[in-house]
Amino acid sequence: MKHTDSISSIQLAVIIASTIIGVSLLVLPRFIAAEVGEAAILASIVGILISLISVIAITLLARKFREHTIFGCNQLLLGKYFGNLFNYMIVIVFIVIMGLEVRQFAEVLATGLLPNTPIEISIFIMIIICALVGYSNVSTFAYIHFFYLPFLLIPMFFFLFALEDIETYHLLPILGHNLSVKQFLSGAIIMTQVITNYFVIAMLIPYIKDYENCVKHGIWGFFLGALAILYCIVVSLGVFGAKELQEMYWPILSLSRIIQIPGEVLSRIDAIILITWIFAVFTTLLSYYFVIVRGTAELFRTDKYSFITVLMIPVIFVFALIPNNVYEIYEYASKITYVSLFLFIILPVCLLVIGHFRKRTGVQ
Amino acid sequence: MKRFQLKFAFVLIAVFLLSGCWDRYELEERANILALSIDIAEEGEDIEMPEVTHSKGEFPAEEKIIYKVAAQLAVPGKIMLGPGGGDTNSAETDWLLVTYGYSMKDVLSNLQQELAEKIYLGHIQLIVVSDKIAKKGLEDIMDFLKRDYEVRRTAWIMITEGEAQEILNATPPVQTVPSLYLSGTLKDAVMFGKLPKEYLGKVWIDFSDVGVDAIIPLVKPMGDHILVDGLVYFKDYQMVGTLTPTETGAILAMQGINPAGYSNVIVPGDKKGVYLVKPFKRISKISVEIQDGKPKVLIDVKIEGFVEEQLYTNDLSKEKLQELEKSASELGEKALSSLMKRLQQDESDILGIGARVRAFYPKYWNENVKTEDDWREIYKDLDIQIKMDYKILRVGMEWK
């Protein structure tokens, strides 16, 4: 299959980074601190390393099977029926995740920015904006990510003004208090769950121009996104401490509310951080929508992308409205991510191993 | 077809250009609360509570406290910005409303019932709490402030002995908005090293932290302005004592916060003359060690200062300066030790020694301490050594 539009491996890296920085940025420090307390930093690093497996697996897969997306690989390596089962799972998981993330986004807006706007409106508009992109052109998709990445990263420098409020005793002990290995790992898994959402790159495999560099650049992009998140965790833990973090709902939002810029150029920067975060949500949801649309198209062997895009709007909308309250959103989200962790990490690794043996025995 | 395209383009442009905001909420529709004072209503006061959040006498509290809250509202349109603002009297720009209620939200609901505009807390500058509430515990009033998304974490909270409303009655002649002046007083006090940076957000963090107790600025009404009268220290959510400005300076020195705001009166060893010395640089190290299964604390304070005033004598020299340094260090050590003794007696760990033990010796903490209450027991008889090294570098424009 020949494609007229293509993306470079640098664009691939940017897509990974801007997908990682997403909805959960605001709430993540709270969840990790609630699980492992002061060990949040170490747990996050372990979580990042677990997630790294997925980047390496997918990019290696990309180098090996240049003509196929992950859907194609599934069919090729696992057989048609078994492979398609996984393909359906991927699409469903992404629909659910996207619904939940849109809902989280709308909840934050309703609590912190637009109290009178019905969340249905916020949800609907966000889905519409994502749908408007149209997923028929891959390079447009890559350019949008490329354009927004600076808007995600630059405002994070504001957190540097909070460095003076960091207390050493909030960050220590690095191993936490009385943590069992199991607790520590469950904290690490939270981090993995949140940042392993760049599965969209597995849908981009046939479009990559320079396959030689895609592993290297993929890892760079991954670290760019993951370290930005780690940085937010370190600052919020250092400023608030594990106990206060557990008491608040959106620590990064609260963090942006205590930052005072010297010279009083801006008296409140929480609006800027919220806007940044809306960009972050948009780019993340864009990647999810891409997987949903392109995945469905590939399942049904069609290229009517716009039709599928429109068809998916009400589906995602319904999933977004299922949870009854803020606690339920996060309950569902953590449940679904256990399925997604299997699909995003274990599945690519398995495919890689199977592909390796198949090549050796000459069955292709 | 062409007509249709044109129509469609028109609709599209209109959608993008004429879009509005669902949460449009104009300035003059808001009742901007700039300051709140929270008191406990005295018996015999003329308390009038409308039935807004509950029917009469049906508030399910364990111990019914009636809060008396005075809210300072900015009158829209009256506040002049820029240099022209000096003409308006502060009495014209703000409006003090007093309401009663059983909780913070209850009070504000009652207040809302009396107001045409919607209450907006986003510009709140300060919250003054009377010491009676602080002694009962601040937990109950904090939940609303934390939960409400409009309240800024950078607002100031202060405590006053007596009636908190008195503070809001202060109408300084120099500025049009009194609460801005009052919060400015505290902000400048922090800048000049007279107060630690303890705004609302920081106080919340201290309340939550294990092994750290909070401090909140103490103020006193002085007619048309206020006096920063030191600090209030807490044990958990309860106020247990106050610190004078000198003691506040000592706490700041132990925290190693620069610049220093308070001068020290020092009598040299030979009892000749009195000197006022001002520190300008302070370095403090609070180190904790575990010796024989018990924590041992060493607070090492290094101060560099300069002579500001010499009284009753005129013999400043190199030798005299050394003598001065020696007696300053001794005096400082003695003052800090007795201050720490008092804090230990009141079980208030405002320097965060417990948090340091917890951070650096997690094994000791998890085996011997476990909870904050256990820590208070240990803190009471903790061995705290204080070492002070006072250096005087300059003497001002006079040689002698």
Side-chain angles (χ1 to χ4, degrees):
Chain A
M1 209 163 36
K2 245 188 148 22
H3 296 283
T4 44
D5 60 344
S6 59
I7 57 169
S8 68
S9 60
I10 304 252
Q11 278 173 323
L12 188 77
V14 168
I15 290 171
I16 296 177
S18 80
T19 307
I20 287 177
I21 305 170
V23 186
S24 41
L25 176 69
L26 285 190
V27 75
L28 182 60
R30 193 215 161 267
F31 277 117
I32 298 185
E35 195 68 37
V36 297
E38 281 84 357
I41 299 172
L42 206 63
S44 318
I45 293 173
V46 173
I48 290 173
L49 292 179
I50 297 174
S51 181
L52 184 63
I53 301 170
S54 173
V55 194
I56 296 176
I58 294 175
T59 45
L60 280 177
L61 213 58
R63 216 154 61 170
K64 207 162 209 159
F65 302 98
R66 299 183 180 181
E67 266 112 60
H68 301 283
T69 64
I70 191 93
F71 284 66
C73 289
N74 275 339
Q75 286 177 343
L76 190 74
L77 298 171
L78 299 173
K80 207 171 172 195
Y81 292 103
F82 208 49
N84 265 344
L85 178 74
F86 281 116
N87 292 346
Y88 278 111
M89 267 168 79
I90 290 171
V91 172
I92 292 167
V93 162
F94 264 101
I95 291 174
V96 177
I97 292 180
M98 178 150 175
L100 290 173
E101 306 242 324
V102 171
R103 176 66 184 272
Q104 288 178 40
F105 161 77
E107 289 294 340
V108 179
L109 279 195
T111 318
L113 204 61
L114 309 167
N116 296 329
T117 311
I119 57 164
E120 288 83 1
I121 299 289
S122 315
I123 292 171
F124 194 66
I125 287 180
M126 196 55 173
I127 300 175
I128 289 282
I129 293 173
C130 290
L132 274 180
V133 171
Y135 295 91
S136 52
N137 197 325
V138 177
S139 54
T140 320
F141 172 75
Y143 278 126
I144 292 173
H145 277 290
F146 207 89
F147 177 77
Y148 280 113
L149 190 67
F151 293 102
L152 309 190
L153 294 178
I154 292 167
M156 287 193 181
F157 286 103
F158 281 125
F159 294 149
L160 288 177
F161 292 110
L163 288 185
E164 59 165 347
D165 290 331
I166 290 184
E167 302 278 359
T168 338
Y169 55 72
H170 284 154
L171 296 172
L172 291 171
I174 198 91
L175 273 171
H177 287 280
N178 277 339
L179 277 182
S180 64
V181 179
K182 201 179 154 216
Q183 275 173 313
F184 182 81
L185 281 181
S186 63
I189 287 294
I190 293 175
M191 183 72 179
T192 314
Q193 285 174 339
V194 165
I195 63 171
T196 314
N197 56 5
Y198 44 80
F199 192 72
V200 63
I201 56 167
M203 301 298 298
L204 296 170
I205 296 172
Y207 305 94
I208 301 170
K209 251 188 295 191
D210 40 350
Y211 289 95
E212 289 72 31
N213 291 328
C214 73
V215 179
K216 194 175 79 188
H217 288 160
I219 292 172
W220 275 114
F222 170 73
F223 274 117
L224 181 65
L227 290 181
I229 296 224
L230 183 65
Y231 159 74
C232 293
I233 292 174
V234 173
V235 176
S236 53
L237 181 68
V239 172
F240 294 124
K243 277 271 144 52
E244 174 84 356
L245 270 187
Q246 289 171 41
E247 295 207 348
M248 42 175 89
Y249 220 108
W250 291 297
I252 300 288
L253 193 59
S254 302
L255 179 67
S256 67
R257 292 179 144 220
I258 64 162
I259 293 170
Q260 284 167 315
I261 309 284
E264 312 227 327
V265 190
L266 298 160
S267 71
R268 306 181 74 164
I269 64 150
D270 53 337
I272 298 177
I273 298 295
L274 261 180
I275 292 166
T276 301
W277 173 79
I278 291 173
F279 289 147
V281 173
F282 170 65
T283 54
T284 305
L285 293 180
L286 202 62
S287 297
Y288 293 171
Y289 217 125
F290 187 91
V291 179
I292 296 171
V293 172
R294 287 274 175 155
T296 320
E298 205 164 321
L299 275 177
F300 295 102
R301 295 171 193 283
T302 152
D303 52 358
K304 288 180 183 155
Y305 297 124
S306 353
F307 176 69
I308 299 169
T309 309
V310 176
L311 205 68
M312 283 301 168
I313 294 173
V315 180
I316 296 166
F317 188 69
V318 166
F319 273 99
L321 290 177
I322 288 177
N324 289 319
N325 55 42
V326 275
Y327 297 112
E328 268 182 25
I329 302 171
Y330 289 106
E331 201 188 302
Y332 291 147
S334 78
K335 274 181 190 149
I336 189 75
T337 39
Y338 280 109
V339 186
S340 68
L341 274 192
F342 167 76
L343 290 175
F344 300 167
I345 299 181
I346 298 172
L347 183 68
V349 173
C350 289
L351 288 179
L352 206 61
V353 172
I354 294 169
H356 187 74
F357 282 112
R358 278 212 169 174
K359 265 228 171 103
R360 191 174 283 173
T361 49
V363 189
Q364 178 111 39
Chain B
M1 192 65 200
K2 200 144 198 180
R3 268 181 82 90
F4 173 76
Q5 276 176 355
L6 267 172
K7 267 185 196 165
F8 187 74
F10 177 76
V11 170
L12 208 64
I13 291 168
V15 163
F16 282 108
L17 294 183
L18 300 178
S19 56
C21 179
W22 203 296
D23 280 84
R24 185 187 52 87
Y25 183 14
E26 303 292 343
L27 197 60
E28 58 266 26
E29 289 166 14
R30 302 181 189 201
N32 282 307
I33 292 186
L34 295 175
L36 284 175
S37 77
I38 309 167
D39 283 298
I40 292 184
E42 302 277 329
E43 268 180 50
E45 258 180 78
D46 185 22
I47 299 166
E48 199 179 307
M49 270 192 283
E51 296 176 37
V52 181
T53 59
H54 54 91
S55 337
K56 209 157 199 106
E58 280 188 7
F59 195 78
E62 286 163 21
E63 183 196 359
K64 278 186 193 169
I65 302 170
I66 299 178
Y67 293 106
K68 176 189 175 191
V69 172
Q72 192 166 57
L73 290 144
V75 181
K78 282 277 190 215
I79 299 169
M80 304 283 216
L81 294 173
D87 304 334
T88 40
N89 193 329
S90 51
E92 288 171 17
T93 53
D94 69 271
W95 185 22
L96 207 61
L97 278 165
V98 181
T99 358
Y100 298 89
Y102 288 112
S103 74
M104 286 299 288
K105 186 62 215 177
D106 189 30
V107 172
L108 288 177
S109 310
N110 292 346
L111 180 64
Q112 183 67 78
Q113 201 70 9
E114 297 173 22
L115 280 171
E117 300 91 356
K118 194 171 170 221
I119 288 175
Y120 183 64
L121 293 170
H123 288 295
I124 196 159
Q125 297 289 324
L126 54 124
I127 296 157
V128 192
V129 184
S130 91
D131 62 331
K132 276 188 204 146
I133 297 178
K135 276 173 189 154
K136 276 204 162 70
L138 287 179
E139 212 166 355
D140 292 340
I141 59 171
M142 286 304 184
D143 183 75
F144 170 74
L145 296 173
K146 267 178 142 174
R147 206 172 285 277
D148 192 276
Y149 80 98
E150 288 172 353
V151 178
R152 291 190 198 196
R153 281 186 166 248
T154 49
W156 282 98
I157 179 156
M158 32 190 164
I159 293 201
T160 183
E161 288 177 322
E163 196 145 348
Q165 203 190 322
E166 290 288 303
I167 300 285
L168 297 193
N169 285 334
T171 45
V174 288
Q175 200 161 9
T176 45
V177 189
S179 43
L180 282 180
Y181 176 79
L182 299 181
S183 72
T185 309
L186 290 196
K187 215 184 270 170
D188 290 345
V190 170
M191 209 164 78
F192 299 134
K194 288 183 178 158
L195 277 181
K197 202 172 157 189
E198 288 286 337
Y199 47 79
L200 200 52
K202 187 78 196 338
V203 171
W204 288 341
I205 295 170
D206 287 346
F207 276 142
S208 305
D209 270 340
V210 177
V212 184
D213 284 305
I215 35 183
I216 294 180
L218 177 70
V219 291
K220 206 168 150 186
M222 300 286 281
D224 63 354
H225 60 287
I226 55 166
L227 171 77
V228 178
D229 204 16
L231 291 172
V232 171
Y233 56 90
F234 281 75
K235 175 188 166 184
D236 213 11
Y237 279 97
Q238 272 170 344
M239 163 183 170
V240 284
T242 60
L243 298 172
T244 62
T246 347
E247 287 163 338
T248 307
I251 293 292
L252 287 165
M254 284 193 276
Q255 289 179 330
I257 291 170
N258 291 311
Y262 299 97
S263 309
N264 312 114
V265 175
I266 294 160
V267 181
D270 60 358
K271 304 278 182 226
K272 263 181 88 182
V274 174
Y275 293 86
L276 268 91
V277 183
K278 182 161 184 187
F280 63 86
K281 192 178 170 195
R282 299 183 284 206
I283 299 167
S284 165
K285 214 179 144 218
I286 303 172
S287 45
V288 186
E289 262 178 60
I290 305 286
Q291 274 179 3
D292 310 325
K294 269 187 170 173
K296 219 172 155 226
V297 183
L298 176 72
I299 303 176
D300 189 1
V301 188
K302 287 194 176 67
I303 300 183
E304 288 174 8
F306 61 95
V307 176
E308 280 191 319
E309 196 177 28
Q310 172 177 251
L311 289 171
Y312 319 127
T313 178
N314 191 23
D315 59 350
L316 206 54
S317 63
K318 193 184 157 201
E319 288 74 33
K320 186 88 186 188
L321 215 56
Q322 278 168 351
E323 223 167 82
L324 212 55
E325 284 175 354
K326 218 180 117 205
S327 55
S329 304
E330 278 169 18
L331 190 85
E333 272 172 28
K334 226 187 270 171
L336 293 190
S337 298
S338 69
L339 173 62
M340 285 313 293
K341 281 266 147 58
R342 214 175 97 208
L343 290 174
Q344 277 175 290
Q345 254 167 30
D346 289 336
E347 299 174 34
S348 176
D349 185 4
I350 58 180
L351 287 178
I353 293 168
R356 285 184 171 82
V357 173
R358 192 169 175 267
F360 295 111
Y361 300 96
K363 218 177 140 204
Y364 170 80
W365 181 277
N366 292 326
E367 276 167 15
N368 301 321
V369 192
K370 291 189 185 100
T371 66
E372 205 165 8
D373 290 330
D374 293 339
W375 168 250
R376 291 215 170 87
E377 286 301 311
I378 295 171
Y379 177 72
K380 237 168 143 176
D381 325 295
L382 196 63
D383 180 13
I384 301 178
Q385 295 282 327
I386 288 164
K387 215 177 118 207
M388 190 187 259
D389 187 11
Y390 212 121
K391 284 254 177 304
I392 300 171
L393 303 187
R394 262 153 244 151
V395 295
M397 302 281 278
E398 289 281 295
W399 181 261
K400 265 192 153 180

